[in-house]
Structures are given as structure tokens and as C-alpha cells.
Amino acid sequence: NAITFHYEDGRWLKSQLYNTEWPDLTKVLDMGDGSEVKPIPEGFFDEIERLSPFLDELQHIYFKGNVIATSREEELGASVEFEGVPESGCFQAKQLLLLNGIVDKIDFSSYPKPCIFYGGAGATALRGAIIGMNA
């Protein structure tokens, strides 16, 4: 399951096989009843992008009612008022921005559990989950 190459100058290189069996995602994707799924508000991703220069090293984005912020503390970081943001939540900005142009609806109400999202329709329909961060 593993091999290590030792070189004359003291360097070494190790390779190891890992179990690559895909995890059972059914439990995650079947969470919730869909009653809290809401369209992503227009301009949502633009506001996250606009806050990007003010993010910490872990790229925290906080939802606080009608505010998107880069810090949990009100006196720190940057924030914007934005209608339609969940009452609470903390996500990584980079992960949220990956959904831009792909996802139409999301259920942020299940935070801190995985939040199910949807995009497209018919044969191109997409369903997935994004997991928040501990703040």
C-alpha cells in the first residue's frame, strides 16, 4: 500500500494508496423538506466579491439578519446591508463564490448543518450542499 524512495543525498519520497471510495452523500442531500429553500437574492455574489479585500485569512463571511460582514464583531471588518440574508451563519467566501452562476436557490436555514442548494432544471439540474464554518 505504500512505497518510499530513499536517495543518496538523504532526500526521500513516499507514496501511499488511499481508499477512494466515494462517501454516501444521501444523508446530506436528503436533509430538510425544502420548505426553506429560497432564491438567491440578486446581487448576493456581487456583495461577497465586494467584501473580499477585507476578509481574514480563513475568508469568513458572516450573515447577521440583513447584513453581510467580514467579522463577527460589529466594530471590526467591513459589512454591507443586504436584504434577504439569513439571520445567522458563517461561510467561507471562496466556497460561496463557487456557486455564482450555477446555483439558483439555497436553504440557509439549516446552518450550521449542511445547506442544500439547487441550480438549473431538467437534465442540467444540480443539487448539492455547502457546509458553514464554526465562527
Side-chain angles (χ1 to χ4, degrees):
N1 291 338
I3 188 169
T4 304
F5 299 96
H6 294 273
Y7 297 93
E8 290 179 8
D9 64 358
R11 294 179 301 141
W12 56 275
L13 174 67
K14 180 177 182 177
S15 180
Q16 183 173 341
L17 295 176
Y18 287 98
N19 180 359
T20 58
E21 186 175 310
W22 191 254
D24 181 12
L25 299 177
T26 305
K27 287 189 264 183
V28 172
L29 294 177
D30 286 344
M31 291 178 70
D33 60 7
S35 64
E36 294 293 323
V37 174
K38 296 180 180 168
I40 294 182
E42 188 174 328
F44 174 78
F45 295 110
D46 294 334
E47 293 300 338
I48 293 174
E49 187 70 44
R50 196 165 74 134
L51 290 170
S52 291
F54 308 101
L55 294 170
D56 62 18
E57 63 277 352
L58 294 178
Q59 298 188 356
H60 288 103
I61 282 287
Y62 297 89
F63 298 142
K64 307 177 204 178
N66 288 329
V67 173
I68 303 173
T70 61
S71 174
R72 189 174 15 170
E73 307 300 323
E74 290 192 30
E75 304 82 31
L76 301 175
S79 63
V80 293
E81 290 187 22
F82 190 80
E83 192 72 32
V85 176
E87 284 301 312
S88 66
C90 177
F91 293 85
Q92 187 191 48
K94 182 179 178 180
Q95 295 299 313
L96 284 172
L97 289 172
L98 289 173
L99 304 178
N100 190 8
I102 299 170
V103 173
D104 308 311
K105 298 174 276 190
I106 193 164
D107 178 3
F108 281 121
S109 72
S110 57
Y111 175 84
K113 294 180 181 176
C115 299
I116 306 301
F117 58 77
Y118 301 88
T124 61
L126 169 73
R127 180 174 62 150
I130 186 168
I131 299 173
M133 299 175 77
N134 288 332

